[in-house]
Amino acid sequence: MDLKNHIIPWEKAASFSDQIRNSKRIVFTNGCFDLVHRGHITYLSQAKELGDFLWIGLNGDLSVKRLKGDHRPVVTEEDRAILLGNLRFVDAVTIFTQDTPLELLRLVRPAIHVKGGDYKVEDLPETPLVREFGGEVKILPFVPGKSTSLLIEKILKL
């Protein structure tokens, strides 16, 4: 069994997206997904319900370090990609090295771009780009009390 079969390399993202866009409604989200927890699972399953094909843009290790600090990520990009790609409702994962998913969004051109509840549509740098190619941006609610930061805090107290 190839555990990497849902991982789409950056250089194949545009052609892969072109192949599926005509028959499936692509939902795209992005994030670090460092220690996957119930909040992530709930969020990703809700995102999948918005379309036919859920594509995750996964922040690479260097990007996570820049965004979260030198102590992160806890889990390597390859391991995070394999874990996410093998969830039943995730159809594709592409690792990106930038701090925002703008370049990957240009390649994938999803029908819907989804973010978690701590964002506002009008504040996202992705919103103008997604709207430019006819997509929409949606915000999904967080699961209260479920976050990677809280999980790390709990582990450190053990």
Side-chain angles (χ1 to χ4, degrees), residues 7 31-33 39 43 48 74 77 87 111 114 135 137 152 156:
I7 300 173
C32 301
F33 300 98
Y43 169 77
K48 173 63 180 237
V74 175
E77 63 189 38
L87 295 174
V114 179
V137 179
I152 290 172
L156 290 175

Side-chain angles (χ1 to χ4, degrees), residues 15-144:
S15 62
F16 186 78
S17 176
D18 288 345
Q19 289 173 3
I20 60 169
R21 192 178 312 106
N22 293 331
S23 61
K24 296 186 186 283
R25 185 172 167 91
I26 299 173
V27 177
F28 179 92
T29 191
N30 67 282
C32 301
F33 300 98
D34 194 4
L35 294 175
V36 176
H37 52 75
R38 181 180 176 177
H40 289 134
I41 299 300
T42 302
Y43 169 77
L44 292 172
S45 65
Q46 289 174 347
K48 173 63 180 237
E49 290 174 6
L50 299 173
D52 307 305
F53 193 94
L54 179 59
W55 195 319
I56 299 175
L58 181 65
N59 289 79
D61 290 348
L62 293 176
S63 174
V64 175
K65 261 189 201 326
R66 287 191 303 273
L67 295 169
K68 304 286 186 179
D70 287 337
H71 61 287
R72 302 273 300 275
V74 175
V75 179
T76 67
E77 63 189 38
E78 182 179 27
D79 288 351
R80 290 181 285 127
I82 288 170
L83 188 148
L84 291 168
N86 283 279
L87 295 174
R88 66 179 165 80
F89 39 77
V90 175
D91 299 293
V93 178
T94 300
I95 298 168
F96 67 97
T97 58
Q98 302 84 2
D99 292 344
T100 70
L102 288 170
E103 295 305 314
L104 184 55
L105 277 165
R106 279 189 183 89
L107 300 175
V108 175
R109 299 172 49 92
I112 301 173
H113 176 51
V114 179
K115 291 298 287 181
D118 58 341
Y119 294 96
K120 292 183 180 172
V121 170
E122 60 274 9
D123 295 338
L124 286 172
E126 301 95 315
T127 297
L129 174 64
V130 172
R131 288 181 174 160
E132 184 180 302
F133 55 72
E136 60 182 307
V137 179
K138 293 190 178 269
I139 305 296
L140 295 178
F142 270 134
V143 176

